[in-house]
Amino acid sequence: MSLPHALLTSLLEQPCSGMDLARRFGRSIGFFWPATHQQIYKELGKLEAAGWVRSSAEEGARGRKRCYEVLPAGEQELKRWVAETDEPPPLRDAMMVRLRAEAALGTGAGVENDLLHRLARHRTQLALYEDIEQRDFTGRELSAAEQLQYLILQSGLTTEREHIRFCEKALALMEALEPAGV
Amino acid sequence: MSLPHALLTSLLEQPCSGMDLARRFGRSIGFFWPATHQQIYKELGKLEAAGWVRSSAEEGARGRKRCYEVLPAGEQELKRWVAETDEPPPLRDAMMVRLRAEAALGTGAGVENDLLHRLARHRTQLALYEDIEQRDFTGRELSAAEQLQYLILQSGLTTEREHIRFCEKALALMEALEPAGV
DNA sequence: TCGCCCATGTAATAAGTTACATGATTAA
DNA sequence: TTAATCATGTAACTTATTACATGGGCGA
């Protein structure tokens, strides 16, 4: 479970409120560790209880904005965790199950729907990543931290392009297997 | 949640017991929809209650092998589901969080551990997929169903190769950023 | 001052993981 | 005939999702 460490990282980059974190998770760290505001608030509570972060408001101040920042103990914990290892995350992709189901049923079951839908989604996501690349990482010297962030973005770019190629290839194969449009 | 449909697919390919399914999930369908035997047994119960599969043993026959097979209603349900669409599965990759944490902490925190560990895992997985490719999909004509299965395997091959390239690139960058081995 | 939105949170549900339990089969 | 193993299952726990609730600030 990496949510606490994703939060520590994000707060280390820039101290902010839970809502700000939620928004930031929507566009940067959230690309590889998504989280909703509900999860974030609960986890921030735990981080504070553990003494890893501190916030600028008294207990039970519902509705009032509170700003979180990482404490030395939190930074220590993050360092410890970075040096650990994990297994690759298991993949769970319903579209692959659909393709195999289509094979088992004999073609004509309609995976094309999902393939087309996913194709559109991956194209959108790729365009988004390309915008970020253009805006943040192009045409100037990059610091060490920026080079690492760019590397991560490139992984996203490659992945989306691979998914697009896969959907296109699968659609072409479906076309070849059921030429008449069953 | 695609586990029920993954099970239907697998049982349609070949009726078998829960334990057999669990074993099969360990090496084929499980590559893109992992499941433990506990999950499988519980889900098989639901599938039977829904009238989608039927098994060859009376209720409460604990310990005795029972063989499941898909009923027409189950095949119908699988067809219905194949034509649906889903959003791309969200990615959650701790290693990416680690890379970003390393950037935020200033290098020297030790992501290399995870990068090396993952590199080894992805190489093993790639070798496994290459064996399957060699054994099942090379040197002969493929049926329509086999072509689809091969396509899925190719996706696995590409993904593993991409992950390997990524780890290598990241390790090279880390090397460049901290040349003295901090 | 009233309504809307922002910020923070609670509660219920669902899915998956890990640890453990029990009946049947088999081989020494 | 008993120990090991196979096959099936239960239970507790963790993580994530979805829906809903409450307090505060601000503009019309």
Side-chain angles (χ1 to χ4, degrees):
Chain A
M1 219 267 291
S2 315
L3 178 57
H5 302 95
L7 291 172
L8 286 173
T9 301
S10 199
L11 286 174
L12 204 61
E13 291 171 354
Q14 174 69 54
C16 66
S17 72
M19 189 50 50
D20 291 335
L21 273 174
R23 275 191 283 265
R24 208 183 299 169
F25 266 65
R27 53 170 209 282
S28 66
I29 270 216
F31 290 145
F32 45 89
W33 203 281
T36 60
H37 71 98
Q38 291 91 332
Q39 260 182 297
I40 290 172
Y41 283 122
K42 204 189 315 173
E43 201 60 44
L44 281 174
K46 291 187 198 168
L47 293 184
E48 194 163 20
W52 293 344
V53 304
R54 140 181 99 119
S55 77
S56 66
E58 63 285 5
E59 289 282 312
R62 193 171 191 157
R64 225 150 7 172
K65 194 162 188 164
R66 44 168 56 187
C67 180
Y68 286 89
E69 66 179 313
V70 179
L71 294 171
E75 192 166 332
Q76 216 43 49
E77 163 60 21
L78 187 57
K79 256 191 185 122
R80 188 197 61 72
W81 176 81
V82 167
E84 288 196 327
T85 65
D86 271 300
E87 296 310 306
L91 351 151
R92 279 208 173 77
D93 192 336
M95 193 177 72
M96 297 298 181
V97 179
R98 285 200 169 86
L99 280 167
R100 183 133 181 173
E102 172 105 18
L105 288 162
T107 57
V111 232
E112 293 88 344
N113 294 339
D114 204 20
L115 285 166
L116 286 167
H117 180 253
R118 292 282 297 268
L119 186 55
R121 286 288 192 271
H122 290 303
R123 283 185 174 145
T124 303
Q125 196 66 12
L126 176 59
L128 176 59
Y129 289 165
E130 284 173 337
D131 281 353
I132 296 175
E133 179 179 35
Q134 198 57 36
R135 196 192 58 204
D136 294 349
F137 298 104
T138 306
R140 59 189 185 79
E141 287 292 303
L142 299 176
S143 70
E146 286 170 330
Q147 288 181 57
L148 272 169
Q149 289 179 22
Y150 189 24
L151 183 75
I152 298 168
L153 178 64
Q154 285 172 303
S155 157
L157 285 161
T158 312
T159 303
E160 295 304 328
R161 290 188 181 121
E162 261 328 310
H163 286 151
I164 290 168
R165 271 176 42 83
F166 179 83
C167 289
E168 289 171 344
K169 215 165 128 190
L171 284 164
L173 179 57
M174 297 307 298
E175 187 76 19
L177 292 180
E178 34 180 314
V182 183
Chain B
M1 221 270 287
S2 312
L3 179 57
H5 302 95
L7 291 172
L8 286 173
T9 302
S10 198
L11 286 174
L12 203 62
E13 292 172 354
Q14 175 70 53
C16 66
S17 72
M19 189 50 49
D20 291 335
L21 274 174
R23 275 192 281 265
R24 210 183 297 170
F25 266 65
R27 51 171 210 282
S28 65
I29 269 215
F31 290 144
F32 44 91
W33 204 282
T36 59
H37 71 98
Q38 291 91 331
Q39 261 182 295
I40 291 173
Y41 283 122
K42 201 186 321 170
E43 201 59 45
L44 281 173
K46 291 187 198 168
L47 293 185
E48 193 163 19
W52 292 345
V53 303
R54 141 179 96 119
S55 77
S56 65
E58 62 285 5
E59 289 282 314
R62 194 172 191 158
R64 221 143 19 165
K65 194 161 189 168
R66 43 168 55 185
C67 179
Y68 287 89
E69 67 180 312
V70 179
L71 294 171
E75 192 165 334
Q76 215 45 48
E77 163 60 22
L78 188 57
K79 258 191 181 121
R80 186 198 63 69
W81 176 81
V82 167
E84 287 194 328
T85 66
D86 272 300
E87 296 310 306
L91 320 178
R92 277 205 176 81
D93 192 336
M95 194 178 69
M96 297 298 181
V97 179
R98 285 200 170 87
L99 281 166
R100 184 135 182 173
E102 173 104 16
L105 289 163
T107 56
V111 231
E112 292 88 344
N113 295 340
D114 204 20
L115 285 166
L116 287 166
H117 181 252
R118 291 281 298 267
L119 187 55
R121 286 287 193 271
H122 290 304
R123 282 185 174 145
T124 303
Q125 196 67 11
L126 176 59
L128 176 59
Y129 289 166
E130 283 173 338
D131 281 353
I132 296 174
E133 179 180 35
Q134 198 57 38
R135 196 192 57 205
D136 293 350
F137 299 104
T138 305
R140 60 188 185 80
E141 288 292 305
L142 300 176
S143 70
E146 287 169 330
Q147 288 181 57
L148 272 169
Q149 289 180 20
Y150 189 25
L151 182 76
I152 297 168
L153 178 64
Q154 285 172 304
S155 157
L157 286 161
T158 314
T159 303
E160 295 304 328
R161 289 185 182 125
E162 264 326 312
H163 285 151
I164 290 169
R165 273 176 42 83
F166 179 83
C167 291
E168 289 172 342
K169 218 165 127 189
L171 284 164
L173 179 57
M174 296 308 298
E175 188 75 20
L177 292 180
E178 34 179 314
V182 182

